[in-house]
Amino acid sequence: MSAASDIAHHFSTVNNGNFLCGVVEGFYGRPWTPDQRKDLFVKMNKMGISSYLYAPKDDYKHRAFWRDLYSVEEADQLTSLIAAAKANNITFYYALSPGLDMTYSSAKELTFLKRKLEQVARFGCIAFALLFDDIEPDMCEADKEIFQSFAHAQVSVTNEVYQHLGQPQFIFCPTEYCATRAIPAVQSSEYLNTIGTKLLPAVDIMWTGSRVITKEITLQSIKELSGVLQRPPVIWDNIHANDYDQKRLFLGPFTGRSPDLIPHLRGLFTNPNCEYEANFVPIHTLAQWSRCSVDGKRDLTNDSVSSDIKLETESDSGSVEDLPSQINSASYHPKMALKAAINDWLPEFYRSKSSHGKPVKPQLVQNSPLLPPVNTCISITATTTTTTVGAGIPPIPAVASILGVGVLPEVTGSSTFQPAMNPVMNSLVSEPELPASDEPMDYVPTPSTSPNDSLVDRLSADGSEIVDNEEAAKVQSDDENRMQTDTDNESKSNSKGMLTFADVELLVDLFYLPFEHGSQGLTLLQDFHWLKNNSHLVIPTKKSRTMSPRIEVQEWQDKAAKFDSMAQAVQSLYIRILDIPNRSLSLELYPYVWDMKAIVGLLNSYVKWLGFSQGWKEAFMSGEQEPWVFRGGLSAELQRLLPLENINDLCIWKAPDVPSNKMFLIRPYLNSDKSAIYDVCLKTCDDGLDGTDVFPGQPELIGDKLVGSFLTLNPEFCFVLEEDDRVCGYALAALDAKQFYNKFDIAYMPELLAKYPLPAKDAQEMLLPAEEVIAGFHRYKVDVPEVVYKHHPSLIRIGILPSFSSDPSLVKKLLSCTLSALKANGSFGVYCEIHVGDKRLMDFYSKVGFLEISLGTNTIEDVLFFGRTF
């Protein structure tokens, strides 16, 4: 779609009176660029949205340095922006937030405020706002001598500025901006009653609802509020705001606000995602809502089954299948609005558009000093990062802010929390577009053919057939039992191509709303939960080695195949998004889809291990909390379904700075992988480097020493990391280390000694490296202190080729899958053995949460034990 040219047909020409429908750029973090704002104005005009509120919290001259006038260059840019809004029939509201440090009784301060707004008025601005949100409700001593209360001080300043500017369109944001901040309650709040009584009647007042981020705004609450404020409120809507959570993006439709509210509101401004390009659906569906008068959800509910017997897992917006093909043009239903929005959004993916860099969300710290935020009106920086104020202080949830910065409704915040400040930048000057060479897509060629992956048939750990109650199961080849974290090669080869409606619908469902997962995201949660809890259906009992009845086994396998298909769809979505011409949109979506791809792939890997390996897989649940209670959205909710309640750090990973469509597989070890694993072991044995030249003529020696025992004695807990059919890493584990070493002494070591006889050399002769290793075999004795086993009953060994070790997420995913398998079989801790001089391995394991185990007086010569519990 070129400049939103095909959008308007979804919107009627009838407006809801003087209702203000708009967008507020009011989040913390990197503001939008001038070009993005101008693009927004064009879209808003096509959609029939009439107002824009300029209030970027990290604008240097909006909040912290509100007194400073704009320079000549800044004035030109802001004038251009206001003119662009006017050309598209958009009312441009300019906002200031002086409440952090203003002395309300000071004539000098009032002069600063008037002068600043007068300057913007000369740029052509005809609408203004004063925002007093997210400040302490305290006055200095000078103010206390003049004003009866905090509310009286704010009203006095606002009324005087409003009249000084000639009574333009004007919005006021109170300090008590939602019901949970009204003291003691909305109707009895002295502050709100003073604002309602004393603020001039033509000044509009903003409100976020019952909470900072309100799930549903009811008509009754608006009527009660209007009585207190003595005017209908303007809603500042944070339903799509995402600057409080690094892993969440909200692409779902505008919902939770019935069109019945419109006659009782002065207006509604949405404060959307920090990522400009991700806001098409939220703004498009808001525009549809603003032109409706009938609640389509309510009418459908009345005409269908009672909501009391609705499925527990059905989303509040219902399912698309429940909707008629058409509804009245005056009716609004979120699902129908979403379908229309996706149809109009699809062409946006194929607009040729360069990137201006990725958005930056704020990280938040406690008790940080007030420092200047991003200056959006001075020098350009090509890229931005987020800086933390206060050394050693970990990030914590933000204050619940009218601008979307804060915890979700179920979580409380403190007003002493301040966002850490971002580097200086200028949002009134377009940043240089990134050339293609600055955002390379490191695509990996995909083969034309690939092996077939199967969930239907399984192999036992030793390669023998597993027998069910009726007949022998067919033994499949190694290639038919592959398992992956990201996707298989077949899905890769089919994943390129144009994005479809179904692709974008999946994208929206994965990143839906703060209080609701999309239907396909909910299906992922439910299916994985069911597969994990019912994995016993496909596991033979220890006594009879028989399977559950075939019909139950088939049900599990069918559900697993469905989960696998959904996982592959997520991988395909990721690759297609990387390939779209709209580079700005691609790079904004990239970190979110990459993270979702990673966690869904990890779950898929675990599901396939459940259906592949031998032994009971116990189900673990983390709790029955609602999905929106936790930070992280659907990705975090899926992560919590793994049996790893206490090691969430392994699922904290950062998307690579350079997007790539390389796909890595994590799957169970197969007999055919032995030589490849030995090769990885050899190429990392010399302090992380290739040891081929160190052990000439002995290609299996190091593999036999370090990994062969795991592959022989415990193959069901061995995993490989694979990229393009090449094994590049492994994680090998023994569930019961004591039992493992007993088998090692009885079965493995004799074979090893027979294969490698003691070198026939005199004691005075120097041994070659290979001969030293062989001699060590003949001296070796298992010696693990009992204190190690107390909290770490399992043993692990991890290896990865140096060229892949730079991506820490690969090791974390490999370890997560292995620990999930161990935890599901009753383990609660794992350890590894490290030579005392091997600093590289110490650093390697330390980075994934392993700590040195204190042995007390039971020290072992030249060996350290590192472990972690889960």
Side-chain angles (χ1 to χ4, degrees), residues 741 744-745 749 753 775-785 789 833 860-861 863 865:
Y741 276 127
F744 181 90
D745 282 339
M749 182 54 76
L753 297 180
F777 292 161
H778 291 265
R779 298 191 304 269
Y780 182 76
K781 180 183 177 182
V782 176
D783 191 6
V784 180
Y789 294 132
E833 301 173 7
I860 305 299
E861 184 179 1
V863 177
F865 297 88

Side-chain angles (χ1 to χ4, degrees), residues 171-185:
I171 296 175
F172 169 87
C173 180
T175 304
E176 294 181 9
Y177 54 76
C178 63
T180 56
R181 296 206 164 196
I183 301 175

Side-chain angles (χ1 to χ4, degrees), residues 262-324:
I262 293 176
H264 301 273
L265 296 174
R266 174 69 178 98
L268 187 147
F269 286 74
T270 182
N271 179 39
N273 298 282
C274 300
E275 295 78 5
Y276 167 72
E277 298 285 354
N279 290 314
F280 190 94
V281 169
I283 296 173
H284 192 287
T285 53
L286 168 65
Q288 295 181 64
W289 173 87
S290 71
R291 294 177 175 269
C292 293
S293 57
V294 178
D295 189 336
K297 285 175 58 179
R298 181 188 61 230
D299 287 0
L300 287 175
T301 302
N302 291 339
D303 293 339
S304 58
V305 297
S306 168
S307 60
D308 295 336
I309 61 174
K310 199 170 59 169
L311 291 175
E312 280 187 16
T313 54
E314 184 179 339
S315 66
D316 291 340
S317 297
S319 63
V320 175
E321 290 75 12
D322 293 335
L323 301 178

Side-chain angles (χ1 to χ4, degrees), residues 1 6-7 9-10 280-281 284 288 336-349 500-502 504-505:
M1 165 172 50
D6 297 325
I7 297 176
H9 67 277
H10 288 299
F280 190 94
V281 169
H284 192 287
Q288 295 181 64
M336 296 297 291
L338 175 60
K339 292 173 69 175
I342 290 176
N343 277 322
D344 279 349
W345 194 22
L346 262 172
E348 284 288 317
F349 288 81
T500 65
F501 180 95
V504 180
E505 187 176 41

Side-chain angles (χ1 to χ4, degrees), residues 52 94 114 141 165 176 263 306 345 415 449 496 508 661 787:
Y52 164 80
Y94 176 83
K114 291 177 181 177
E141 292 302 320
L165 294 174
E176 294 181 9
S306 168
W345 194 22
S415 59
T449 60
K496 287 194 174 182
V508 172
N661 73 343
V787 67

Side-chain angles (χ1 to χ4, degrees), residues 681-810:
C681 188
L682 180 62
K683 290 181 177 177
T684 57
C685 69
D686 186 15
D687 197 22
L689 302 178
D690 192 345
T692 302
D693 295 336
V694 181
F695 304 102
Q698 297 282 6
E700 293 188 345
L701 177 61
I702 293 301
D704 284 336
K705 175 186 176 182
L706 299 178
V707 300
S709 55
F710 290 92
L711 305 182
T712 303
L713 305 174
N714 268 92
E716 66 269 29
F717 292 100
C718 296
F719 294 86
V720 299
L721 176 68
E722 188 177 64
E723 191 262 333
D724 275 357
D725 291 332
R726 175 196 178 194
V727 173
C728 53
Y730 56 81
L732 316 176
L735 178 65
D736 186 334
K738 274 188 176 181
Q739 187 181 55
F740 170 78
Y741 276 127
N742 287 336
K743 292 180 180 179
F744 181 90
D745 282 339
I746 296 171
Y748 188 76
M749 182 54 76
E751 295 291 333
L752 199 64
L753 297 180
K755 183 176 180 179
Y756 299 102
L758 189 66
K761 284 191 175 184
D762 295 336
Q764 293 79 16
E765 292 185 78
M766 181 176 292
L767 297 178
L768 298 174
E771 293 172 333
E772 289 181 356
V773 172
I774 293 172
F777 292 161
H778 291 265
R779 298 191 304 269
Y780 182 76
K781 180 183 177 182
V782 176
D783 191 6
V784 180
E786 201 62 33
V787 67
V788 173
Y789 294 132
K790 183 177 181 180
H791 298 293
H792 309 88
S794 302
L795 174 66
I796 195 169
R797 181 157 291 149
I798 303 173
I800 188 169
L801 291 174
S803 57
F804 297 93
S805 60
S806 60
D807 183 356
S809 70
L810 294 177

